[in-house]
Amino acid sequence: VMQIYADVMNRTMEISRSTQTGALGSAIAGAVVAGEAAGGYRDFESAIRAMTGVLDTRYEPHGPNAATYDELYSLYRRLHDAFGTKDRRENHYEVMKKLLSIRDESRSRRSST
């Protein structure tokens, strides 16, 4: 799933070292509210710096996959705009052909690896 996120977003994904990120966020807020005098932190930046981190595992985007997701997103936007707008009337014959082409290219890449 993390590799898919990296490919879709075309960004490196890292994993928090905390398994309870929601609870950690609450702890950070509590530490800032308590303030420095009570053993907390003066601001969110310093609390976050001290209390958070990431694991060594990183997921780098895979170029061909990221390009495919970009292409799929542009097709999605075209269809969204066409079906989501009352006055647009366009022929989208080529959209299905392009989707089938992307599917075939993707299958071909997977079978060659």
Side-chain angles (χ1 to χ4, degrees):
V1 170
M2 292 301 291
Q3 185 60 57
I4 291 171
Y5 285 151
D7 293 342
V8 168
M9 301 301 292
N10 201 15
R11 296 191 185 281
T12 300
M13 292 288 140
E14 299 176 316
I15 301 172
S16 171
R17 70 175 181 219
S18 172
T19 59
Q20 299 293 324
T21 54
L24 178 58
S26 295
I28 290 169
V32 172
V33 169
E36 288 180 284
Y41 296 91
R42 63 181 158 69
D43 58 32
F44 279 96
E45 282 185 34
S46 57
I48 290 168
R49 206 172 310 116
M51 298 172 73
T52 65
V54 294
L55 299 176
D56 290 335
T57 304
R58 294 167 54 102
Y59 295 87
E60 301 291 339
H62 183 250
N65 293 351
T68 299
Y69 284 117
D70 284 345
E71 194 170 13
L72 287 169
Y73 184 64
S74 72
L75 292 171
Y76 163 80
R77 287 193 52 151
R78 281 187 61 197
L79 292 175
H80 171 273
D81 291 347
F83 294 124
T85 306
K86 187 169 41 171
D87 297 328
R88 284 184 95 135
R89 300 214 195 297
E90 297 176 33
N91 183 345
H92 293 291
Y93 169 81
E94 77 283 352
V95 172
M96 183 54 78
K97 298 298 182 190
K98 187 62 182 170
L99 289 170
L100 292 171
S101 170
I102 291 170
R103 179 201 63 190
D104 294 343
E105 289 170 19
S106 176
R107 286 180 176 172
S108 143
R109 270 199 311 265
R110 271 187 284 169
S111 66
S112 68
T113 56

